[in-house]
Amino acid sequence: MIDLDIKGFFDNIDHELLMKAVAYHTDKKYILLYCKRWLETPVQLRNGTLKHNEGKGTPQGGVISPVLANIFLDIVFDKWMDRNYPEIPFERYADDIVVHCRTIKTALRLLEEIKKRFNDCKLELNQQKSKVVYCRSNQKKQPPFKPRYQKFDFLGFTFKPRIVKVKAKLRLGFTPAISQKSISRITQSLFETSFHRWAHIPINQIAMVLNPKLRGVFNYYAPFRKSELRRISRVVNRRLAKWVRNKYRKFRRRHKREAYRYLQGLAKSYPNLFVHWQYGFLP
């Protein structure tokens, strides 16, 4: 399998080629006009200075930048793959791309062809992040070489060999789970919330603030190896225990396990108060 990463994709899209891609999908003059104006408009930096483009790049965070990027890569990569390698499946989300190959020779040869294709379209692959990954999913079958990469990240998930249960038997599989990078990002966001200091509001209002965020995390990541979300749940429970100690004076001089016991009683009475409690990650 090939894990592709385009170097500075949004900063290096060629305007001339991008407008040709837009013109391929529409002949409406006002659409072409506004897209061209959007690309040529300078960006104001935080210090107030204007950064003028040099005939390439689309502003990251712009409302139509993802649309333009998808239009561009649909022609540069998707249609090129369908035309030249229709037997090879791939997935692409914006500029994140994975390509499935059956053999290492096919993967190496195709990687060189993709590099040439992107160079022809004035883009460059990130040599350090673009790699061929050996997706091992069999305990008995061993490759004739020592693979350098046996896992990859895609859309917030880490895909790697894991023990899975199939028809009541344990075997080696190649499955996804939330990545460590995603866990760090989510826990950092929870730390920045500092809800353990909200001693002036009741716990049900804290749940109203946290649950939309937690629901999004669990709805997206929980279908694949739910147990990997334990670390995020532990962070939330630990912060809730700190909130108990800040909220109620009687817990401040006691051991922190007393605050956990209070949360355990609360979770027993109101198991649906927090989203992660509903998934079984109790204090």
Side-chain angles (χ1 to χ4, degrees):
M1 193 221 72
I2 307 174
D3 181 19
L4 296 174
D5 184 87
I6 304 174
K7 186 176 181 180
F9 173 64
F10 285 94
D11 295 329
N12 294 310
I13 300 180
D14 184 77
H15 289 179
E16 182 179 355
L17 294 178
L18 177 56
M19 289 306 302
K20 288 182 179 180
V22 176
Y24 175 82
H25 289 280
T26 181
D27 58 355
K28 302 293 184 181
K29 292 185 178 180
Y30 68 91
I31 295 179
L32 299 175
L33 174 64
Y34 283 118
C35 287
K36 184 177 181 180
R37 286 180 178 178
W38 173 264
L39 295 173
E40 295 176 350
T41 301
V43 177
Q44 186 175 15
L45 304 179
R46 290 186 176 182
N47 58 9
T49 59
L50 294 178
K51 179 183 178 182
H52 296 272
N53 64 72
E54 300 176 354
K56 63 179 182 178
T58 176
Q60 293 194 41
V63 290
I64 68 168
S65 291
V67 178
L68 294 176
N70 276 311
I71 291 174
F72 186 74
L73 283 178
D74 175 65
I75 295 178
V76 170
F77 185 79
D78 297 4
K79 286 183 170 54
W80 178 80
M81 285 289 295
D82 292 340
R83 183 174 63 254
N84 295 281
Y85 303 96
E87 75 284 359
I88 298 180
F90 67 91
E91 289 84 33
R92 182 182 67 81
Y93 185 87
D95 59 330
D96 293 329
I97 308 171
V98 293
V99 184
H100 304 276
C101 300
R102 290 187 175 273
T103 64
I104 182 66
K105 293 182 179 180
T106 303
L108 292 173
R109 183 173 64 251
L110 180 57
L111 180 58
E112 292 302 319
E113 292 296 325
I114 293 174
K115 287 180 183 178
K116 185 177 182 301
R117 171 61 175 175
F118 279 125
N119 288 335
D120 293 341
C121 297
K122 301 182 181 181
L123 289 174
E124 182 182 356
L125 288 181
N126 190 320
Q127 299 294 334
Q128 296 180 344
K129 294 183 178 181
S130 298
K131 54 187 180 291
V132 175
V133 181
Y134 174 64
C135 302
R136 182 186 177 193
S137 60
N138 192 307
Q139 291 175 310
K140 297 181 180 179
K141 186 178 180 180
Q142 298 292 336
F145 58 92
K146 185 179 180 180
R148 184 177 180 183
Y149 302 102
Q150 295 193 58
K151 65 178 182 178
F152 67 95
D153 289 354
F154 186 63
L155 302 183
F157 291 92
T158 294
F159 292 76
K160 68 178 184 179
R162 292 185 174 92
I163 299 298
V164 295
K165 194 173 184 179
V166 180
K167 295 182 179 179
K169 293 184 178 180
L170 296 179
R171 61 181 297 269
L172 186 67
F174 199 85
T175 58
I178 183 173
S179 66
Q180 290 300 316
K181 186 176 180 180
S182 297
I183 291 176
S184 300
R185 175 179 53 81
I186 295 169
T187 52
Q188 181 61 33
S189 176
L190 292 172
F191 286 147
E192 293 174 355
T193 305
S194 299
F195 61 87
H196 64 287
R197 298 178 180 174
W198 300 349
H200 57 287
I201 63 175
I203 195 169
N204 63 318
Q205 292 188 15
I206 295 179
M208 291 176 61
V209 175
L210 294 182
N211 279 343
K213 300 178 181 179
L214 294 174
R215 188 174 294 110
V217 169
F218 277 81
N219 284 346
Y220 185 70
Y221 292 106
F224 304 98
R225 219 168 181 87
K226 182 181 65 175
S227 59
E228 298 293 328
L229 295 171
R230 189 177 304 278
R231 178 179 167 187
I232 296 174
S233 303
R234 190 181 297 120
V235 169
V236 179
N237 289 332
R238 188 182 301 122
R239 292 276 159 162
L240 287 175
K242 288 186 177 182
W243 174 86
V244 171
R245 301 186 73 184
N246 291 332
K247 177 74 171 178
Y248 303 107
R249 185 175 300 176
K250 65 180 181 179
F251 290 104
R252 295 177 187 175
R253 296 183 179 179
R254 300 180 183 179
H255 196 275
K256 61 182 180 181
R257 63 171 170 264
E258 297 296 330
Y260 275 96
R261 287 176 181 173
Y262 174 82
L263 285 177
Q264 289 169 1
L266 199 63
K268 187 176 181 180
S269 301
Y270 305 98
N272 296 325
L273 183 59
F274 288 94
V275 169
H276 65 293
W277 290 1
Q278 300 172 20
Y279 282 82
F281 296 108
L282 302 176

